[in-house]
Amino acid sequence: MKKELDYFSIDGACGGSQDWMSNYLMKFGGCAALTACDTCIFMALRGGRKELYPFDVQRLTREDYDRFAMRMKPYLRPRIGGVDRLSLYMEGFGAYLKDAGADDIRMEGLPGEETAEAAREQVRLQIDRGLPVPCLLLKHKNPSYEDYVWHWFLLTGYEEYEGSFLVKAATYGAGRWLDLEELWDTGSRKKGGLILYRVGAGG
């Protein structure tokens, strides 16, 4: 079984990219803020939540994306050590959602200490509900995950076959399929995890 969100593109890129940032701090440390930006754009475009994106969601441009990122920056500002805890993301993005008048969008964290099976089940549920899944990866023993170390990104799809569970990671304007069990098995004591969005009264 394979399921992908109808994700957005900007100038042919898969979502937004840190490489487009005009601000130095955002270019090199804005991944948490941009994960929130991409969430807002997706929800505005595919979920009708126009209050989340202050520009023309039907005409997405790099310039507006950069401006939007600067609006998100005070909520999830780059800092020494980065936004290295799920709670920091939920606190910062939660404040933006409140200011945007979207109090019905809530968040729960699934820490990296949970099992890969728990992560797989939650990713499946979120994607089936039409919601992207923010993922924080801090360290990883496998050098092939170097581009994702100390980084926030979105999971926008999953595929199950022959006992494997792949997830599609969207970041830096590109999508890449990763094995969730390998991604989850970081080999590090300090772990990241997932953010689970809950929308509406029923959550």
Side-chain angles (χ1 to χ4, degrees):
M1 173 182 282
K2 183 176 183 179
K3 188 160 188 178
E4 292 186 62
L5 299 177
D6 183 14
Y7 204 50
F8 68 93
S9 64
I10 302 176
D11 289 347
C14 177
S17 174
Q18 276 180 256
D19 293 334
W20 303 342
M21 297 294 97
S22 58
N23 179 270
Y24 177 86
L25 290 176
M26 290 296 285
K27 187 165 187 165
F28 292 97
C31 58
L34 297 189
T35 296
C37 287
D38 287 7
T39 293
C40 289
I41 293 172
F42 177 82
M43 288 186 174
L45 189 62
R46 306 301 182 209
R49 302 303 297 260
K50 302 288 175 58
E51 72 273 21
L52 297 180
Y53 183 64
F55 303 101
D56 185 356
V57 76
Q58 298 299 331
R59 197 176 71 87
L60 299 169
T61 66
R62 293 189 183 195
E63 293 75 20
D64 284 348
Y65 186 80
D66 187 31
R67 286 195 286 267
F68 185 36
M70 292 306 293
R71 293 196 185 192
M72 190 66 72
K73 180 173 178 277
Y75 296 94
L76 287 162
R77 59 180 177 79
R79 66 197 78 186
I80 296 174
V83 181
D84 61 350
R85 299 191 301 278
L86 302 182
S87 59
L88 290 177
Y89 182 92
M90 291 188 288
E91 177 184 337
F93 190 32
Y96 175 83
L97 293 172
K98 182 178 180 180
D99 288 346
D103 288 343
D104 64 318
I105 300 175
R106 301 173 305 283
M107 290 168 278
E108 296 176 15
L110 183 76
E113 291 78 11
E114 295 286 343
T115 65
E117 289 75 17
R120 179 177 60 201
E121 182 63 22
Q122 289 301 322
V123 169
R124 186 191 296 113
L125 284 171
Q126 292 294 96
I127 299 297
D128 286 351
R129 290 170 176 166
L131 296 168
V133 185
C135 180
L136 170 62
L137 180 64
L138 295 175
K139 297 181 180 180
H140 207 285
K141 61 184 179 182
N142 189 333
S144 67
Y145 288 92
E146 180 181 4
D147 290 342
Y148 300 89
V149 165
W150 223 264
H151 190 55
W152 282 93
F153 52 94
L154 282 175
L155 305 181
T156 63
Y158 70 83
E159 182 175 8
E160 299 180 84
Y161 72 96
E162 297 179 357
S164 295
F165 191 90
L166 305 182
V167 290
K168 189 172 186 180
T171 188
Y172 292 111
R176 175 183 167 191
W177 288 96
L178 306 172
D179 184 286
L180 180 62
E181 188 167 346
E182 289 182 1
L183 176 68
W184 206 250
D185 184 16
T186 66
S188 174
R189 181 182 59 82
K190 190 170 185 180
K191 301 181 183 296
L194 305 176
I195 299 292
L196 311 174
Y197 292 127
R198 308 299 190 199
V199 181

